[in-house]
Each structure stands twice: as structure tokens, then as C-alpha cells.
């Protein structure tokens, strides 16, 4: 290869590196912005705003929760992960069949945020994300107190970055599994006890049956 060709190849390589770097920085800024918007939505109790910054996959997940609440029998509930099962039982307790029949996943997420079901403390003390890793249309980030764990996930949809809450539930499920094991309760007992602490009305076994 001639000196001129080498110089050209080197220049092209440098330009591609700069373009990729600029793209990563742009993605990182967008992801930080999306997280800040989500945090602000939770702190304000603004469900519509929160729903506007989450991924389509997250909305579809909540759609599934509504469907399970209306149709899934007790035996099949046991096949769900803890977070899904807890959500299903909570909305069976909190909403009537008529209300659930008119509900969508997006509306459920909005109402959950409006009612404070997603704890503000889960984001209140997070001033920044760290160890942000971007891979094309996917990204993950940790929080300063646990820099080695990907606590939040993001997806790029139609050119915009969205918070993928559904991908973060695996971490929550693992944490809850440990808590249940330490409690000495069955999963169902644990859920009923938790719901009784969270609800102003008594919770009983009727929540394990689909809405009729």
C-alpha cells in the first residue's frame, strides 16, 4: 500500500472512530434524559408522563398483567414470576371487573404511578447513572451504590430511547425471592401479608380467582 493510501485509510478510520464516539455520547445524553424524565414522573406522581418514556415492551408487559387479572386461574398463577403474580393479585384486589375490563396496560401503569404503587424511593436518591453500556439499540446502566449491577435497561424505538422497565423486573424478582425465603412464609402468604399492609381494605383468598 502506498503512503497516500495508508494516509487515506488512517483518516477514514479516525473519522469513523469520531463518528462512533459522537453517536455514543449522543445516546448517553438521551438515556440520561429519559431516566431523569422517569424519575421526575415518579416523584410528581405523574402516570401519563411515566408511560410516555417507557418501552413498548413494558406496556405490553402491563397489558399481560391486565389479561391475567381477568382470566388466569390460581393454578396457572403459580407459573408467573413473583412481580407479575403480585401485580395481578394487587389489581384484582384494588379494581372491579368492570374497571379491569376497560383497562389497558398503559392505563394500569399510569394509575400505578398516580397512586404511588411504584415507590418514589426507588429513584429518589439516584442522582446519576453509572457504567452506562450502549449496544446499538439496547443499553443498560447501574447506580452509584451498586456499580456492578445493571439496574436499568433501555431500548431505542423509532429513533428514541425508552426506559425498558420490563427488563429490570428480573433483578426485582431475585431480590424478592430471597426476602420470601427469609420470611418463612409461602409466596401466597407473603403476598397477602404485603397487600394487607399496602391496602386500606382487608385482603383474602378471593384474589386468587379470576374476576367474574
Amino acid at each position: 500500500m502506498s503512503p497516500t493510501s495508508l494516509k487515506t485509510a488512517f483518516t477514514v478510520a479516525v473519522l469513523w472512530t469520531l463518528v462512533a464516539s459522537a453517536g455514543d455520547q449522543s445516546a448517553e445524553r438521551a438515556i440520561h434524559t429519559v431516566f431523569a424524565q422517569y424519575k421526575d414522573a415518579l416523584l410528581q406522581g405523574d402516570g401519563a408522563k411515566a408511560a410516555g418514556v417507557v418501552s413498548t415492551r413494558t406496556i405490553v408487559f402491563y397489558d399481560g398483567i391486565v389479561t391475567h387479572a381477568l382470566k388466569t386461574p390460581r393454578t396457572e398463577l403459580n407459573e408467573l414470576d413473583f412481580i407479575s403474580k403480585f401485580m395481578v393479585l394487587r389489581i384484582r384486589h384494588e379494581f372491579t371487573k368492570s374497571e379491569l375490563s376497560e383497562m389497558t396496560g398503559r392505563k394500569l401503569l399510569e394509575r400505578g404511578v398516580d397512586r404511588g404503587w411504584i415507590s418514589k424511593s426507588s429513584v429518589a436518591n439516584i442522582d446519576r447513572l453509572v457504567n452506562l453500556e450502549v449496544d446499538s439499540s439496547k443499553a443498560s446502566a447501574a447506580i452509584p451504590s451498586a456499580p456492578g449491577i445493571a439496574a436499568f435497561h433501555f431500548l431505542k424505538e423509532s429513533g428514541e430511547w425508552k426506559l425498558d422497565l420490563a427488563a429490570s423486573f428480573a433483578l426485582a424478582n431475585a431480590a424478592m425471592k430471597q426476602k420470601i425465603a427469609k420470611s418463612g412464609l409461602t409466596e401466597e402468604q407473603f403476598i397477602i401479608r404485603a397487600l394487607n399492609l399496602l391496602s386500606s381494605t382487608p385482603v383474602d383468598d378471593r384474589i386468587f380467582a379470576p374476576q367474574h
Side-chain angles (χ1 to χ4, degrees):
M1 184 179 289
S2 67
T4 301
S5 297
L6 283 172
K7 183 177 180 180
T8 300
F10 177 75
T11 300
V12 170
V14 170
L15 287 173
W16 274 113
T17 300
L18 290 173
V19 169
S21 176
D24 287 345
Q25 291 176 5
S26 176
E28 289 181 9
R29 285 195 297 270
I31 289 167
H32 283 294
T33 297
V34 166
F35 178 76
Q37 291 172 337
Y38 175 71
K39 175 182 176 179
D40 187 56
L42 285 197
L43 296 181
Q44 291 182 10
D46 189 338
K49 183 175 181 179
V53 299
V54 301
S55 66
T56 300
R57 183 166 68 171
T58 298
I59 298 300
V60 169
F61 171 84
Y62 278 89
D63 282 331
I65 296 299
V66 174
T67 299
H68 282 304
L70 287 166
K71 300 179 179 180
T72 303
R74 186 172 193 158
T75 53
E76 293 180 21
L77 278 181
N78 293 328
E79 299 174 9
L80 301 180
D81 58 71
F82 176 83
I83 296 299
S84 297
K85 187 175 181 179
F86 183 84
M87 287 185 183
V88 168
L89 297 176
R90 185 170 196 177
I91 66 174
R92 279 182 180 175
H93 178 66
E94 297 286 349
F95 299 111
T96 65
K97 180 185 177 182
S98 176
E99 290 172 326
L100 284 175
S101 297
E102 297 178 356
M103 193 173 289
T104 63
R106 186 183 183 92
K107 286 182 179 179
L108 175 58
L109 175 59
E110 289 179 0
R111 291 196 184 185
V113 173
D114 290 343
R115 295 185 177 200
W117 288 1
I118 302 179
S119 175
K120 295 179 181 181
S121 63
S122 64
V123 296
N125 296 321
I126 303 175
D127 296 323
R128 60 191 175 90
L129 298 175
V130 298
N131 295 341
L132 184 59
E133 296 186 5
V134 180
D135 180 13
S136 185
S137 60
K138 297 181 180 180
S140 63
I143 59 177
S145 61
I149 300 174
F152 293 97
H153 299 265
F154 304 84
L155 290 174
K156 194 173 186 180
E157 299 178 347
S158 301
E160 292 185 45
W161 284 98
K162 300 286 187 177
L163 177 62
D164 190 30
L165 282 181
S168 299
F169 291 146
L171 190 62
N173 277 316
M176 293 310 301
K177 187 175 181 179
Q178 292 181 349
K179 285 188 176 182
I180 294 169
K182 291 179 180 178
S183 73
L185 302 172
T186 66
E187 186 173 81
E188 290 187 355
Q189 289 171 336
F190 186 92
I191 290 174
I192 288 180
R193 179 174 291 186
L195 290 179
N196 272 316
L197 291 173
L198 294 169
S199 177
S200 59
T201 57
V203 179
D204 57 45
D205 275 3
R206 282 176 294 181
I207 62 173
F208 292 102
Q211 293 280 6
H212 295 292

